[in-house]
Amino acid sequence: MATNFDKVMDLSPAKTTWKIKVKIIHLWRQYSAGDIDSIEMVLIDSNGDTIQATVNEDVVPIFESFLEEDGTLSPEYLIDIMGQIVEISFLETTRVRSCESSIEVSGFDPTYRDILDGSLNSDYLVDVIGQIVEVSPIEVVTVNGKDTNKISLELRNSNDERLQTVLWGVFATDVMEAIQMRRNHAIICVIRFGKINVWKGKFISNAYNVSDVSLNPPMVEVDDFIAVLPKDELVLPIVDPKPLSVGCGVSQKDDFFVHTPRKTISQLSDARHVEKCIVMCTIAAIDSDMGWYYLSCKVCAKKVLNVPNDFDEDGNDDDPIMFTYYCPKCKVSNPKLLPRYKLHLIVLDSTGNSKFLLFDNLALQLLHQPCTELVGPNGDEIEEPAAIPLALNNLIGKTYLFKVGIERENYLYKHDTCIISKIITNHDIITEFQTIVYPKKPSVTYTCDNSILSDAPEGSVMVSDESSQECEPTDLTPAKRRGTLFDNLEAAVDQNSLTRKIQPVNGSNFLCCANFRGIKRGLYHPMYCVDLCGALVRVGDLIAIATKLAQPANIYNSILYSLEFSLINLGYTHIQCVAYGALAHRLNAFWRGNTADVVVTVLRLWRIDWGEGGFNYVTNMEGGSDILFDSNIPEIQFFKSQIPSIDF
């Protein structure tokens, strides 16, 4: 005999005993002090009517094993009334059993127009489906004292109506990974039980522990939605996050301007305790010795390891890769791989230079394109990670606001690399920040002898883009900006000689060390000199060589000495070098008299020598090149700090 069930829409406080057949379309757990405080559910009956149900803490052990999402239940004797809204509450006397016949209603009821025109009550959760047509990089926002990931999206429906969306936590990470792996396919975002928020207009966000966000899920509704989408092949842009959009925590601007102290790079080096600080500086170079990206496990986002394969004793190993990838967190061999950014930035301001480490999500704020687009389809084959793409080189010369962390390693062990936790790239905010930090503009006075006196304070020489147009600062290197300033000064005094009093930049050797692999691959023009930093190996003996007949303008001796040696970098790449003349004698004397296990040096302004077969060696130019052994040079200090405790 068929059982008669009550309908959800008929539930009322009139009686306390009801019998209903419902499907669980959403289930989540509320936790308190690490334990389950309650189980919350959204139930739907065969007519499509929904109601919320709660299993309180004291009866959770009774019903927990019965309850699962998409399961069809037949609870009996369900009671509780809250105000004018009926809510089902499970009691000890409640009886629940699973049903063999399921309810074929999903309860998915997406809406757009009702959200945008404000006709929906923001106290109720809603369903949304849309194509992602715009996305911002992940931001790290402080909410209730904790850093939380946040991403802003723009969704559109089949009528091309746009809806702003903000996702928090793990949903933000999931969306960004899906975008990186999209392969030019449309990304459909389905939000179940999203919350309507009002902040300069209506937008949707996920509610804590309640909402469910899925991308391109296998649903009939998704297939129907894709079928009616405009066939315009819309390109998905990655745009700058809106700086004034806030959630329930501290805004990004307040974090940079009010809550976090500001420091110069010299103050960063002098810090003696763990803290966060804001630094305004310019990217001077990209250090690619350690590569500019890494391969990660797509599931856990951790870096994968290279495990060598076992060799065939007969030498018949046909595996061209010779190793497999292993994820130490998931403990899985050959996991699905995803390349992620890891940029080593060399930055500078008027007080010195330093090195900042920038990871994937923040790098997207600067590059506006996923790492997979720069790496290409064969991202698992890391042949030349030191070859820097043009998009990375375009960052050089740009000024940003960085929030960096000072750790114990920085001041105890002189580790000069700081990790970036937040970035501001908005030009207006950077200009406002600079105005607050440096409110007084230096005045320039012309004297009667055509000299120029400036009242600029000590240490106020700053890479600035205020005199340029809004679109120009990103294209100018620091050297070009300074050159433009002096060109204008010369024009102002009719090309007469000028003298300007400025404070010297201390603590910098103005080195820009070249990449070893880049030299060997011909990425550095032999017409220009390069700087190199590395450990001395394979140092030979002084060799006397006979020069050609002395020319009338030749002021050097007819007997010249040479010394062959090699430099090795942290990636164990060798560069063959030849020193001539005075530098050969100087290097020989230092090498023979040094007892250190590892001798680190800097070759300054050395020339690249090429032959018919390719790269030959680097060599010095008499009177122009130099070789440095000073242990206080930052490049030498960093190299020594990275040397593993093994013998060369």
Side-chain angles (χ1 to χ4, degrees), residues 133-136 234-239 368:
V133 294
E134 187 177 282
V135 63
S136 72
L234 196 65
V235 177
L236 176 59
I238 300 178
V239 300
H368 302 292

Side-chain angles (χ1 to χ4, degrees), residues 468-523:
S468 304
Q469 297 298 324
E470 185 172 355
C471 61
E472 291 179 351
T474 59
D475 299 328
L476 296 179
T477 63
K480 291 181 180 177
R481 294 176 187 172
R482 290 194 293 268
T484 302
L485 172 63
F486 287 110
D487 290 343
N488 294 337
L489 291 175
E490 290 179 1
V493 294
D494 299 327
Q495 297 182 348
N496 290 325
S497 60
L498 300 173
T499 302
R500 179 170 181 168
K501 295 173 64 177
I502 64 173
Q503 295 296 330
V505 178
N506 299 319
S508 175
N509 295 286
F510 299 99
L511 296 173
C512 186
C513 294
N515 180 270
F516 283 25
R517 294 191 182 191
I519 291 177
K520 289 186 172 183
R521 296 183 62 219
L523 300 181

Side-chain angles (χ1 to χ4, degrees), residues 260-272:
T260 310
R262 307 160 188 159
K263 290 185 182 293
T264 63
I265 288 181
S266 64
Q267 293 171 335
L268 198 68
S269 304
D270 296 337
R272 291 297 178 267

Side-chain angles (χ1 to χ4, degrees), residues 547-558:
T547 63
K548 297 180 179 180
L549 293 176
Q551 300 297 324
N554 190 358
I555 62 174
Y556 302 109
N557 297 327
S558 58

Side-chain angles (χ1 to χ4, degrees), residues 70-71 108 130 187 221 245 295 316 347 379 382 427 507 579 581 627 642:
D70 291 331
F108 182 61
I187 300 179
E221 291 85 353
S245 62
L295 291 179
N316 297 323
V347 298
I382 310 177
H427 175 75
I627 184 167
Q642 301 298 308

Side-chain angles (χ1 to χ4, degrees), residues 185-451:
H185 296 303
I187 300 179
I188 308 302
C189 180
V190 175
I191 302 176
R192 301 292 309 269
F193 312 105
K195 181 175 176 57
I196 302 175
N197 290 276
V198 180
W199 172 263
K200 296 184 178 180
K202 301 279 186 178
F203 69 92
I204 294 294
S205 69
N206 58 297
Y208 176 75
N209 266 4
V210 179
S211 302
D212 181 58
V213 180
S214 53
L215 303 173
N216 295 94
M219 296 172 56
V220 175
E221 291 85 353
V222 173
D223 296 335
D224 295 340
F225 179 80
I226 294 177
V228 297
L229 272 179
K231 308 301 184 199
D232 50 7
E233 298 182 358
L234 196 65
V235 177
L236 176 59
I238 300 178
V239 300
D240 289 329
K242 297 176 176 58
L244 295 180
S245 62
V246 297
C248 53
V250 178
S251 70
Q252 188 180 44
K253 184 176 179 180
D254 287 344
D255 187 21
F256 275 68
F257 280 67
V258 179
H259 298 281
T260 310
R262 307 160 188 159
K263 290 185 182 293
T264 63
I265 288 181
S266 64
Q267 293 171 335
L268 198 68
S269 304
D270 296 337
R272 291 297 178 267
H273 60 275
V274 176
E275 63 174 327
K276 301 281 188 180
C277 61
I278 306 299
V279 181
M280 179 178 177
C281 54
T282 301
I283 299 175
I286 309 292
D287 186 0
S288 62
D289 281 349
M290 304 299 290
W292 53 271
Y293 72 95
Y294 67 97
L295 291 179
S296 69
C297 173
K298 185 180 178 182
V299 176
C300 67
K302 298 300 181 182
K303 183 178 180 180
V304 296
L305 304 178
N306 296 344
V307 180
N309 293 334
D310 295 331
F311 290 98
D312 190 344
E313 296 180 356
D314 298 331
N316 297 323
D317 194 349
D318 296 329
D319 186 359
I321 302 179
M322 309 302 291
F323 61 85
T324 57
Y325 294 108
Y326 177 76
C327 177
K329 182 175 182 180
C330 300
K331 302 186 185 305
V332 175
S333 297
N334 291 321
K336 291 185 178 180
L337 301 177
L338 183 65
R340 299 177 189 270
Y341 290 115
K342 184 180 181 183
L343 305 182
H344 297 261
L345 306 179
I346 299 175
V347 298
L348 59 86
D349 65 4
S350 62
T351 66
N353 59 76
S354 184
K355 295 182 180 179
F356 289 172
L357 184 58
L358 184 67
F359 285 100
D360 189 68
N361 290 332
L362 293 176
L364 281 170
Q365 288 187 238
L366 302 183
L367 299 169
H368 302 292
Q369 56 186 133
C371 185
T372 51
E373 293 186 5
L374 296 185
V375 174
N378 297 324
D380 55 337
E381 299 175 3
I382 310 177
E383 296 179 357
E384 293 292 342
I388 300 179
L390 179 62
L392 298 184
N393 281 324
N394 288 339
L395 297 177
I396 297 176
K398 296 183 180 180
T399 301
Y400 300 111
L401 295 180
F402 298 97
K403 182 176 182 180
V404 299
I406 303 173
E407 305 297 337
R408 296 179 68 254
E409 293 79 4
N410 296 117
Y411 58 84
L412 288 182
Y413 306 111
K414 305 300 181 182
H415 185 59
D416 62 348
T417 300
C418 297
I419 298 178
I420 301 172
S421 59
K422 292 183 182 180
I423 299 178
I424 284 184
T425 60
N426 183 274
H427 175 75
D428 295 334
I429 295 182
I430 294 175
T431 302
E432 182 181 353
F433 183 91
Q434 186 175 4
T435 303
I436 294 175
V437 177
Y438 306 102
K440 183 180 178 182
K441 304 294 182 183
S443 61
V444 179
T445 305
Y446 296 91
T447 63
C448 58
D449 59 350
N450 287 334
S451 64

